[in-house]
Amino acid sequence: FKENRKDDIWLVDFYAPWCGHCKKLEPVWNEVGIEMRNMGSPVKVGKMDATSFSSVASEFGVRGYPTIKLLKGDLAYNYRGPRTKDDIIEFANRVAGPLIRPLPSQHMFEHVQKRHRVLFVYVGGESPLKEKYIEVASELIVYTYFFSASEDVLPEYVTLPELPAVMVFKDGTYFVYDGKIFFLILGKLVAIAVIDDKNSSVEHTRLKSIIQEVARDYRDHFHRDFQFGHMDGNDYINSLLMDDLTIPTIVVLNTSNQQYFLPDRHIESTEDMVQFINNILDGTAEAQGGDGLLQRIKRIIYDAKSTIVSVFKSSPLLGCFLFGLPLGVISIMCYGICTADTEGEVFEQEGAKKESGDRELTDEGSEEEQEEEKNGKYTELSDGELKQKDIMEKKKD
C-alpha cells in the first residue's frame, strides 16, 4: 500500500479494534465500498488497523479513531462530516474529481445552483487571482465545490464591476470578493441549534426554524460576527463542551478561544434568540470553557476517561487486559517492596538480639579470665595470711 498508493485514489478508514465508534461505522463503511464499486468510481475503498500499522497511521497524522482520509497523490484530505453512506460518498466524489469544475452553459449553471446551497465561481481568464483561487480550492475542497464560468453563463441579475472575479452564490443572492473582506468561520461565533432530525416534535422543529429565521432576517446585523447552523445529535457537542447537553438546545461557540455560551432561559421565539445574541456581543452573557490551563487539564482527563469507557464498552475483556495487567504488575512490585522491608526489620531484630547476648557473655568473662581474677585476689593477700592458709591446707591434707 505504501509503495503503490500514489498510483490510485484511496478512501481509507483508519480504525482501532477496541473503538466503539469504529465498530458503529463498520457496516456503513461496507456499504460505501459496495456502492462506489457498483457506480464505477475510480476511488478505492479500504480500511486499516491503525494500532497494528502505527507507522503508516502516524505518517498520515492520524490522532483519533475512526479517521477517514482521501489520499490523492501527495495530498491527504480529512473527512469531518456526518458518518453516513451518502455524505461519505459525496465527499469522496467531490475531492477525487477536479479542483475547479467548468460550467459551460446557463442550463448547467442553474442545475448546479439547485443542487448546492453554496456555490463558488471564478469568472475570467488566466490571472494571479485564479492561481489563488486554485490554491484555496485545494485546501477547502473538503467542504464545498469550486467552479469556473464565462461571464455570459451567469444569471442576468449578476453585475460584475470588473474581471476576473470570484463570486459566491448563497441564499438566493450573491457576493463578489473585493480583495479585502473574507467570509470565514474561523474567529466568528457559531450559533447552533442542537436537535434530533428524526424527532418531528414541535420543540425540535421550532428551534431549527428560529436559527434559520435569524440567519435570514438579521443578516445585516450579525453576519460579520456570527455563523448559524443546526446539528443532528449532541455527541459532537458533548465531546467539545465536555458536558452532557439535553436536546433540543441552543449553543454558541467561539471558535477562536474555545469558549461557549448557553442561554440562561428557554428560547421561545426569534426575539429571544436575537436578545441572546445581543447579550453575547455586549458582554453580559457568561462565557464558559476556554483554552486556559485548567480547561486543558480537564480536557486531558475527559479524553482519558472517554477512551477508557469506550474500550470497556466495546470489549470488556480487552479493557481488563489493557488496564488490569499494568495494575497487577504495579501491585506485585509494591508487595515485593513492602515484603522486603519487613524481612529487613526481622533480620535487624535478630542481629540486635545476638549482639545483646554476646554482650552479656562478654560481661561475665571466660573461665580463664575468672581464674586469673581469682589468682589476682590471692596475690593481694598478706604474707601472714598466706602462711595461715598453707597450714590450713596441710591440715586438710
Side-chain angles (χ1 to χ4, degrees):
F1 172 75
K2 290 179 64 177
E3 295 176 355
N4 303 321
R5 71 169 186 83
K6 293 184 180 180
D7 299 335
D8 300 290
I9 301 174
W10 281 90
L11 182 66
V12 182
D13 168 29
F14 293 91
Y15 71 96
W18 46 261
C19 173
H21 294 293
C22 300
K23 292 184 177 181
K24 187 177 180 180
L25 175 64
E26 185 174 1
V28 176
W29 195 253
N30 292 335
E31 293 178 3
V32 170
I34 293 172
E35 183 158 336
M36 294 198 71
R37 181 183 59 191
N38 292 339
M39 66 193 305
S41 172
V43 178
K44 292 187 175 182
V45 181
K47 61 181 181 179
M48 179 177 292
D49 183 352
T51 61
S52 297
F53 302 97
S54 57
S55 61
V56 180
S58 178
E59 178 184 345
F60 293 112
V62 175
R63 297 289 181 270
Y65 312 113
T67 294
I68 299 173
K69 288 179 176 284
L70 187 134
L71 310 178
K72 183 180 178 183
D74 294 323
L75 302 176
Y77 296 93
N78 287 334
Y79 176 70
R80 295 187 176 92
R83 292 169 187 161
T84 63
K85 181 191 71 173
D86 294 338
D87 288 305
I88 295 174
I89 291 176
E90 199 273 339
F91 163 81
N93 291 333
R94 180 173 69 249
V95 179
L99 288 177
I100 311 299
R101 289 171 164 82
L103 297 174
S105 65
Q106 287 187 350
H107 176 74
M108 179 62 70
F109 187 96
E110 294 172 358
H111 172 73
V112 170
Q113 194 172 16
K114 290 178 181 178
R115 289 190 57 192
H116 305 289
R117 295 180 58 202
V118 179
L119 197 67
F120 286 90
V121 181
Y122 173 82
V123 183
E126 299 296 326
S127 67
L129 179 60
K130 185 175 183 179
E131 294 177 2
K132 284 291 183 182
Y133 184 70
I134 295 174
E135 182 181 341
V136 171
S138 66
E139 296 182 11
L140 302 183
I141 190 68
V142 295
Y143 300 109
T144 188
Y145 287 88
F146 292 83
F147 298 91
S148 64
S150 59
E151 191 173 8
D152 57 352
V153 170
L154 301 178
E156 295 180 357
Y157 62 83
V158 175
T159 302
L160 293 178
E162 61 180 358
L163 292 178
V166 172
M167 312 173 64
V168 57
F169 292 83
K170 181 178 182 292
D171 295 339
T173 185
Y174 70 95
F175 304 89
V176 179
Y177 169 64
D178 60 4
K180 298 178 182 179
I181 300 175
F182 293 83
F183 295 93
L184 299 176
I185 289 181
L186 185 61
K188 285 192 176 185
L189 296 168
V190 184
I192 303 174
V194 186
I195 60 175
D196 182 0
D197 280 339
K198 298 178 182 179
N199 192 325
S200 58
S201 65
V202 176
E203 184 68 11
H204 289 259
T205 306
R206 183 174 55 80
L207 282 183
K208 183 177 179 180
S209 299
I210 289 174
I211 283 289
Q212 292 173 340
E213 290 174 9
V214 173
R216 181 184 66 248
D217 299 339
Y218 292 84
R219 179 194 300 275
D220 296 337
H221 296 81
F222 300 137
H223 82 276
R224 296 283 181 182
D225 303 299
F226 274 83
Q227 292 283 344
F228 297 89
H230 56 85
M231 179 176 292
D232 181 21
N234 60 350
D235 291 341
Y236 174 75
I237 289 294
N238 287 345
S239 64
L240 193 66
L241 273 56
M242 295 180 288
D243 196 2
D244 292 327
L245 290 182
T246 302
I247 57 176
T249 188
I250 297 287
V251 61
V252 175
L253 305 176
N254 188 332
T255 58
S256 62
N257 59 9
Q258 299 182 15
Q259 289 183 340
Y260 63 93
F261 302 85
L262 297 174
D264 56 359
R265 60 176 180 171
H266 199 58
I267 302 295
E268 295 285 351
S269 61
T270 303
E271 289 73 20
D272 291 340
M273 187 65 200
V274 171
Q275 182 62 46
F276 177 44
I277 293 175
N278 287 327
N279 290 341
I280 295 174
L281 293 176
D282 61 26
T284 57
E286 180 183 1
Q288 303 180 50
D291 54 2
L293 178 60
L294 292 178
Q295 284 297 121
R296 294 178 185 178
I297 295 174
K298 184 179 178 182
R299 168 62 63 184
I300 293 173
I301 297 173
Y302 178 85
D303 290 341
K305 180 181 176 182
S306 300
T307 301
I308 293 172
V309 171
S310 176
V311 171
F312 275 98
K313 281 185 176 180
S314 60
S315 180
L317 293 177
L318 179 61
C320 292
F321 176 77
L322 290 177
F323 299 101
L325 182 60
L327 291 176
V329 173
I330 293 173
S331 300
I332 293 173
M333 293 175 62
C334 293
Y335 176 77
I337 293 172
C338 295
T339 304
D341 292 342
T342 304
E343 291 177 352
E345 292 177 0
V346 172
F347 290 146
E348 289 178 1
Q349 292 176 0
E350 291 180 352
K353 289 181 180 179
K354 183 177 181 181
E355 183 179 355
S356 177
D358 293 342
R359 188 180 297 112
E360 290 177 359
L361 290 175
T362 303
D363 291 342
E364 291 179 358
S366 62
E367 293 180 356
E368 294 179 356
E369 290 175 345
Q370 293 179 11
E371 185 67 27
E372 290 178 359
E373 185 178 355
K374 183 177 179 181
N375 293 336
K377 289 181 181 179
Y378 285 146
T379 57
E380 292 177 0
L381 298 176
S382 62
D383 294 339
E385 292 175 344
L386 288 173
K387 289 180 180 180
Q388 183 67 28
K389 186 174 182 180
D390 290 339
I391 294 170
M392 292 296 293
E393 289 179 355
K394 289 179 179 179
K395 287 182 178 180
K396 185 177 180 181
D397 293 337

